[in-house]
Amino acid sequence: MKNQTKGVAVILAEKEVVYVVSDSVGETAGFVVKAVATQFNGGQVDIRRNSYVEDFEDIEDVILLAIKANSIIAYTIVIPTLKDYLDRRAAEEGIMAVDLLSPLMNAFETKFNKEPHHRPGLMRKLDEEYFRKIEAIEFAVKYDDGRDPRGITKADIVLIGVSRTSKTPLSMYLAHKRYKVANVPLVPEVQPPEELFQIPRKNCIGLIISPDKLNEIRKERLRALGLASRANYASFERILKELDHAEKIMKRVGCPVIDVSNKAVEETAGLILDILKKERSF
């Protein structure tokens, strides 16, 4: 047992130090260092991260630490003045400093003939936008078709209209633009949720459609389901009743209204976003 304890102490004593330096979080450099370390001693490396380096003093602090620990500096710095300063100071002090980004950035610049932005944190910004999109898509699915009226007060946009006015496709399209969208079907036999009258009118959009177009769409829907096209769902009498009811609700809410009769989802979504910009600029 004593020999085993002594062996662990030796391993810990031999653990090398690598300073990871970045003008952003430093996750990329940390992952690269870990990947390389596993090729040598099973990853037994003490990685000490120095994130959000923003001036020469921050770099001087790392230089002093690296001298004391006789360590390597692995860095992902995209601000040219900071990178040049780190390279110069590391060379002056005899510290091995490895630039993990420049070789590939130089290759991109040469091959694609484009200048890099030299702005830290862009990767994290992309990641955050991706997760916001996923969150918005999950929101649209959860609060689709009036399943849970609590979503109305949480949504960036609430779409209301009769069945087959593209509420669900629009919700998903706008979710990919990172908007949280809830949609509520308007049916004469069902009272709309009270939450609909509690939200700001600028958060709600009414969708209307011509009776002829709706009749055509609903007949096609019934055929696709293998049902008789003369069902009440597609009858003109039923359609006129629903549209009249929806119009009354939209007037009560006081929301902007879009006619989707001959519009693609992308076109309607563009109109919705234009309306939101105008409404929220006041």
Side-chain angles (χ1 to χ4, degrees):
M1 187 68 181
K2 288 183 178 179
N3 289 339
Q4 288 180 342
T5 304
K6 188 180 290 183
V8 171
V10 170
I11 290 173
L12 291 174
E14 292 177 350
K15 206 170 186 182
E16 302 291 350
V17 176
V18 176
Y19 282 94
V20 165
V21 182
S22 177
D23 45 19
S24 183
V25 180
E27 288 178 338
T28 302
F31 288 141
V32 173
V33 171
K34 284 180 183 177
V36 171
T38 57
Q39 300 297 319
F40 291 88
N41 58 1
Q44 292 298 316
V45 169
D46 184 4
I47 299 174
R48 301 179 185 177
R49 187 183 295 181
N50 292 263
S51 304
Y52 301 110
V53 168
E54 57 185 24
D55 54 39
F56 297 154
E57 287 185 12
D58 291 336
I59 290 175
E60 282 298 330
D61 291 341
V62 177
I63 292 291
L64 291 174
L65 292 169
I67 292 171
K68 189 178 294 185
N70 190 28
S71 65
I72 294 172
I73 294 176
Y75 69 88
T76 52
I77 294 179
V78 297
I79 300 174
T81 53
L82 294 180
K83 171 191 152 33
D84 293 344
Y85 186 83
L86 176 53
D87 285 340
R88 179 171 64 79
R89 290 292 292 121
E92 289 172 355
E93 300 295 343
I95 300 168
M96 186 175 291
V98 182
D99 181 351
L100 299 176
L101 291 183
S102 286
L104 190 54
M105 284 180 68
N106 292 338
F108 268 58
E109 189 174 356
T110 301
K111 181 66 177 177
F112 304 127
N113 196 29
K114 291 183 178 180
E115 286 283 333
H117 295 297
H118 294 299
R119 293 202 306 269
L122 292 182
M123 185 66 186
R124 177 158 288 271
K125 183 179 178 182
L126 289 173
D127 288 344
E128 288 172 355
E129 288 181 358
Y130 171 77
F131 286 117
R132 280 203 299 271
K133 181 191 292 186
I134 296 301
E135 185 181 5
I137 292 170
E138 290 176 346
F139 186 95
V141 171
K142 183 176 182 179
Y143 297 111
D144 181 44
D145 208 30
R147 290 176 188 168
D148 186 345
R150 290 175 298 182
I152 293 172
T153 57
K154 300 175 184 176
D156 300 317
I157 305 169
V158 179
L159 303 178
I160 58 175
V162 301
S163 173
R164 314 316 294 177
T165 48
S166 300
K167 294 186 300 299
T168 296
L170 279 166
S171 295
M172 296 307 297
Y173 184 90
L174 291 166
H176 279 81
K177 302 286 187 183
R178 297 180 295 284
Y179 289 94
K180 293 181 179 178
V181 186
N183 72 76
V184 180
L186 300 179
V187 184
E189 293 78 14
V190 180
Q191 284 296 316
E194 282 301 315
E195 289 86 349
L196 194 60
F197 307 104
Q198 297 168 1
I199 61 173
R201 62 180 294 279
K202 63 185 179 183
N203 289 4
C204 186
I205 300 288
L207 304 175
I208 61 170
I209 189 170
S210 72
D212 288 336
K213 186 66 177 178
L214 186 55
N215 175 256
E216 179 187 329
I217 292 172
R218 288 191 174 182
K219 281 183 177 180
E220 186 60 38
R221 176 63 174 166
L222 290 172
R223 278 194 291 270
L225 295 173
L227 301 173
S229 61
R230 291 192 297 272
N232 187 45
Y233 176 69
S235 73
F236 258 98
E237 183 181 356
R238 174 66 187 182
I239 286 172
L240 291 172
K241 182 179 179 181
E242 288 189 29
L243 291 174
D244 180 62
H245 171 75
E247 185 179 348
K248 289 176 181 176
I249 297 298
M250 291 173 194
K251 284 182 179 178
R252 184 180 166 193
V253 173
C255 62
V257 176
I258 296 175
D259 188 339
V260 301
S261 299
N262 295 297
K263 292 182 177 65
V265 168
E266 296 85 353
E267 185 181 358
T268 305
L271 291 172
I272 290 171
L273 295 180
D274 286 344
I275 289 171
L276 288 176
K277 286 176 185 176
K278 289 177 184 176
E279 289 284 339
R280 295 176 183 182
S281 64
F282 292 107

